[in-house]
Each structure stands twice: as C-alpha cells, then as structure tokens.
Amino acid sequence: MKHPSPPRASRFARAARGGAALVTAVLLAAPPATARATTTDPAPSRAEVYQALGLDDQPADYVVLVDTSGSMNQDGRYDTVRSTLGGFLNGMSPKDHVALFTFDSRPQPRYVGSAGDSAAIMSKLPAAPDPAGDTDIGAALDAALTELERDHVSAVASVVLLTDGEHHPVAGSGYPDSTGPAWTALRGRAQALVGRTELAGYALPLGNGATGAGLLGDVVKNTTVLRPDSIQDLGAYLARAGERTRIRKAQLLLAGDVGQGVTAQWQDAGRSDLTDGSATAKLTLRSTSRHVPLTVTGASASLGDPSVTLDGLPGQLTLQPGESRSFDVRLRGRLSAGPLPYRRVKDADTTLKLSGRVTSPWEPALAPDVRLNVPQGVRVTRAAVPLRATVGSAGFLPGVLGGGALVLLAGWLYWRRIHRPPLRGELLVTRVFGDAFTDRVVLTGRAVTLRPPSVGGRGRVRGRRRSTDTGPRIDLLIRYTPDGSTARESTATCLPDRDVVVNGVSFTYVSGRFASGPSDTFTGSPR
C-alpha cells in the first residue's frame, strides 16, 4: 500500500538545515559587522551558491534509460554512452536516487539505489548491446514511471532517455504503436506524478533516425530534447541535463524567497526626548528571506518632520537569511513650539522614511535561470516615530499675561478718561413750577449723587468727554427720579453752561467755579 508523499516543505527541511549550517559557518568566519559594512565581497559563483544552499543534501530522482538495441553498435554509440555516462553520474550527490535501465525488446533494471558510487553503477551496464534487440520505448517509459511512482519519491525527478532509433517494439508489446490508449495512460500517470514531484524529461537522440526520443515529450510535458551534433557531444549534453536538474533544485528551494527583501522597523516603543536637541534610538533592519543573503547599499533614514534629522546607518551592510540587525541611530533637531511658544511638553508623531538599494550577491550567479525578484527598496513596516520635547519659553506665558493685563489697564484707563472724567463746576437744581428755591451742587470727583433737599428726589451725575471743533468738553449725564422710584427715573445730557429739564426739574450746568451765596443750599456727594 502506498503512503502519501510528505509535503515539499518537509522534504526540503533537511536541505534547509544543511544550508543554515553552512551559512552559520560562513558567518563565524566572516569579518566583524563594521568591516562588512565597508568591504565589498566578490560575487560568488553559481557553484558556491549551490554549495551554500546545500543542493547536494537535497535528494533528486534520476531514471536513466539507455538504448541497448542492435543499432547502438553503429559508430561506437554504445561505447560513447558508457564512457560519458560515468561523468554524468559523478555529478550527482550521494543523496540522489538513480535508477538505471537498459531497454531493447524489453526494459531491464540494471541498478536502483544511491548515486554515490558511479563506478559501481556503470559496472552494471552490459558490455555490448543486444544485436537482435528491438527498440520498445513505450515499455521503457512505463518502467521509468513505475520507478517514480514509489513512496517517498524526491521533490525533483528527471527521466533521461538515450536512444538512436525510433519506437520499434517486438510483437506482443503493450505499446505496439507510438499512439493509442496505452500512451494516453502513460501521459495520465506522468501528469499525476507532477502533483508529487517536479518532473522533467531530457531526451538525447543519438542518431539521425532517432525519432523515438521525441516520444518522451509526449509523455512528460516538461521535456527538453537535446540534439548533439555528433555522438561526441553526448558528455556535454549529459552535463547540461545534470545542471538543469540542479537549477530545478535551486528553483524549488528558493521559491519561497522570490520577492523577499529587507524591512525596517522603529524599535523603541517610548518617545525619544529631543529637549536637548538630540536623542538616541534603535532602528532594526531585517531580512525576510530564508536562504538568500541580501545587501543594502546607500542606506539612509529620514523623518517626515524636516526639522529633525537621523543618522547612524552604515553605507552598506549584508544581512544573512532571516538576520535582524539593530542600529543605534541619533536624532538631531528640535520640535517646533508652534505659533504660541509657551513652555510645555509636546508630543509629536512623525514618519520614518528609509532609502537604499537592496540586492543579493546571488542574483548574478543564478540569473537568468533563477530570478529572485528582490525588491530594490527597503520596506518600512513600523513607520511611526514618537517624539517628545519641552518646547517654548518659560517667560512667554507670564509675558503674554502681563502684556494682556497692561492692555486691559490701558483700555480701562482710556475708558475711564472718556466716560468718567473729573467733574468741575456746579449744577443748579430748581423746580420749573412752584417755589423758586435752588439747590447748588458742587461737582467734584468722577460722579456725584444727587439728593437736593429743596427740590427733593434722587439722582446721579457723571461726565463724558467729547471732542469738538473748539476742543474737548465735558458733558453731564444726569439721571433723576423725583420720588426716588426707578419707574419715574429719566436721563438727559446737559452741555456746559446750558440747562436741561428732567421730570419737571431744571438742571443748569455751570462749568466755571463760583462761590456759593449765603442763601444757597449746597448738597451732593462725590463718588
């Protein structure tokens, strides 16, 4: 009973751990951070990248199908296959799984197991092709798919077909023709394998009439037909097939790193105090990749508030996969006190902006086969920068309050000068009808209360300064009630040296100073 294959992520866990161990070793041997920030290391080769990824620790499945029909004796084809196939096997990792089949009238497994000993694998090949053997490519592909349908197949699988003829099976073969239901079933099985492994085919036609090699592409959709100009080119094409398998390993392993870059985060949770014009905080740069080193060049940070600058980032730094590095950055500047610079503690939130170019030293080595699509800019994940400072002048508020008090005092004095000028002269109070007694009131102070004993009643007098063509003058504002009630109270304005009648009482305003006669009554109290 077959068991479901484990997820691809788990199949690469061991490889990832191997790569992490290698990266750790590189880090331990690397120069200090300050040196890395100023030194540009040479770009690694593709072989070095593969080594850092630990591709040899990632197993791959190879099924090699070698034609041993009689025609392979022509032009030394089979001998060439034997001499070059060993080099192809040497390029495999001991963790790889190889299944070597020969096929003519029927397929025959020669070796199934680890790819660690290429000499042992090659020793399983027959010394010569079968002179009477036919070419049953369908049966050979059936055997290859059966091998890959086993439990725990590797995440990367390749079928390599080497033939010099066309499909020419013996009578009774399950694949009598190059088309038909049997071939449809093969295609369905290959498509089902794609859901479990990253399957590819490599067909190497070894002669002009080797049309049967193309049948691999009918079964395995992701097939490359390599066409050597001569049998002597076989080694180079086998090496190319091996390199493409390694590329597929790298693509699968680095799929999660495509589009990954560097993020920046403001680390300090509290507010940075800029009262003294500078403050220290922490800024963290983090690589979001799992396997790819990333380099940031020209890194510089700024804030949304142009009055505050930020420095402390190195001009260049390289982050290993998943590495985070925090930097002590210095803020310089002062927060604005605003239009009212009174002394207070001000909180402000500004925005972190970070520029710089992000690249990977692996990109040139892997291009164009593996595209990492590293974002060129640094992505800011926590952009809010909280600031605090004591701003404004300690003397501003007292000065404003004192100035306001002075303005109010000046305004009050001006109002008092206009509406409450000092009174001078006298006010003669006489009934219009009746007795002719006159009360004479001396005007002093800024207001006088009237209680004329002869006339009776009650009132109040104050002045108002007026500007005229002949100069300033003081009019009297008279408020009087004959019986002391507010209901009969009336008001009037009396100009200097004129008179006015209020409630049947005549008021004469004598603006000069006169001595009171012995028959006059003097009354009134200044206020």
Side-chain angles (χ1 to χ4, degrees):
M1 179 179 178
K2 294 184 180 179
H3 299 285
S5 176
R8 293 189 182 183
S10 62
R11 290 202 293 264
F12 284 104
R14 295 189 302 275
R17 287 195 295 270
L22 178 62
V23 169
T24 302
V26 172
L27 284 172
L28 291 175
T34 54
R36 291 207 309 271
T38 57
T39 303
T40 302
D41 296 329
S45 65
R46 179 172 288 194
E48 291 171 330
V49 171
Y50 287 168
Q51 184 181 7
L53 283 173
L55 288 189
D56 287 344
D57 294 326
Q58 299 181 57
D61 263 83
Y62 292 88
V63 179
V64 183
L65 305 175
V66 178
D67 188 350
T68 53
S69 61
S71 60
M72 286 291 289
N73 276 318
Q74 298 178 14
D75 301 323
R77 293 171 185 166
Y78 186 69
D79 291 337
T80 301
V81 169
R82 284 176 57 88
S83 62
T84 57
L85 192 57
F88 174 65
L89 296 172
N90 283 333
M92 298 181 187
S93 164
K95 299 291 182 68
D96 293 334
H97 184 275
V98 62
L100 176 62
F101 288 83
T102 59
F103 69 95
D104 38 60
S105 298
R106 67 181 187 279
Q108 186 172 352
R110 299 293 180 172
Y111 177 88
V112 178
S114 170
D117 189 346
S118 60
I121 300 173
M122 291 299 299
S123 67
K124 304 298 184 180
L125 283 175
D130 182 358
D134 289 306
T135 305
D136 193 340
I137 295 177
L141 295 180
D142 187 314
L145 294 180
T146 300
E147 170 62 26
L148 295 178
E149 287 167 343
R150 75 183 192 279
D151 292 339
H152 308 305
V153 66
S154 301
V156 175
S158 301
V159 178
V160 181
L161 173 64
L162 299 95
T163 182
D164 71 338
E166 61 182 9
H167 179 57
H168 189 274
V170 296
S173 169
Y175 302 89
D177 299 311
S178 58
T179 59
W183 289 91
T184 301
L186 283 180
R187 287 191 289 270
R189 291 167 61 190
Q191 186 61 35
L193 275 173
V194 172
R196 298 177 54 207
T197 183
E198 213 252 321
L199 179 62
Y202 302 96
L204 284 84
L206 303 179
N208 293 330
T211 58
L215 293 176
L216 177 58
D218 292 339
V219 175
V220 178
K221 296 302 181 183
N222 183 21
T223 292
T224 302
V225 179
L226 304 173
R227 297 188 177 277
D229 294 333
S230 66
I231 191 64
Q232 286 74 25
D233 295 327
L234 177 60
Y237 277 86
L238 282 173
R240 186 180 300 177
E243 173 61 18
R244 290 188 179 181
T245 301
R246 285 187 285 274
I247 290 172
R248 288 162 53 215
K249 284 185 180 182
Q251 288 173 335
L252 196 58
L253 183 62
L254 295 176
D257 276 1
V258 174
Q260 296 298 319
V262 174
T263 63
Q265 185 179 59
W266 192 256
Q267 197 67 23
D268 288 358
R271 293 188 177 273
S272 300
D273 195 331
L274 284 173
T275 300
D276 296 332
S278 67
T280 301
K282 285 188 179 297
L283 179 63
T284 297
L285 298 181
R286 185 176 72 87
S287 165
T288 61
S289 70
R290 295 178 56 196
H291 306 286
V292 178
L294 299 172
T295 299
V296 183
T297 55
S300 63
S302 61
L303 299 178
D305 187 342
S307 65
V308 182
T309 61
L310 188 152
D311 57 68
L313 290 177
Q316 176 175 319
L317 71 148
T318 296
L319 296 173
Q320 298 303 323
E323 181 185 9
S324 294
R325 293 180 62 190
S326 296
F327 299 90
D328 290 327
V329 294
R330 182 163 291 278
L331 302 168
R332 302 180 189 276
R334 296 185 182 277
L335 296 183
S336 171
L340 297 176
Y342 60 92
R343 193 72 166 177
R344 68 192 187 277
V345 176
K346 179 181 179 180
D347 290 344
D349 292 320
T350 185
T351 303
L352 173 66
K353 300 178 181 180
L354 201 143
S355 61
R357 185 169 181 267
V358 182
T359 58
S360 173
W362 286 9
E363 287 181 299
L366 294 174
D369 301 302
V370 181
R371 298 189 181 276
L372 298 176
N373 297 331
V374 176
Q376 292 190 353
V378 179
R379 183 168 62 93
V380 179
T381 58
R382 182 181 169 191
V385 179
L387 304 176
R388 171 173 291 170
T390 301
V391 299
S393 170
F396 175 79
L397 194 56
V400 169
L401 295 176
L406 291 175
V407 170
L408 291 176
L409 178 60
W412 180 79
L413 292 174
Y414 177 78
W415 179 89
R416 187 167 178 264
R417 180 175 180 273
I418 298 298
H419 296 278
R420 296 290 189 274
L423 299 178
R424 296 178 59 190
E426 293 178 333
L427 183 65
L428 305 180
V429 183
T430 307
R431 288 187 182 275
V432 176
F433 304 103
D435 55 53
F437 291 104
T438 299
D439 292 323
R440 189 183 301 273
V441 180
V442 178
L443 300 176
T444 60
R446 297 183 182 274
V448 175
T449 299
L450 297 177
R451 294 185 181 275
S454 301
V455 176
R458 185 176 62 187
R460 188 170 181 270
V461 179
R462 64 180 177 85
R464 174 175 290 177
R465 191 182 300 275
R466 301 287 189 181
S467 296
T468 67
D469 294 339
T470 59
R473 75 165 189 256
I474 295 177
D475 298 342
L476 293 184
L477 300 179
I478 302 171
R479 178 178 295 171
Y480 175 73
T481 173
D483 58 4
S485 67
T486 58
R488 296 188 62 189
E489 184 179 76
S490 298
T491 60
T493 301
C494 186
L495 277 59
D497 301 318
R498 302 285 181 89
D499 57 26
V500 67
V501 177
V502 181
N503 284 332
V505 176
S506 174
F507 294 87
T508 302
Y509 175 21
V510 181
S511 60
R513 290 186 176 273
F514 299 95
S516 299
S519 60
D520 296 334
T521 302
F522 175 84
T523 184
S525 59
R527 295 183 62 187

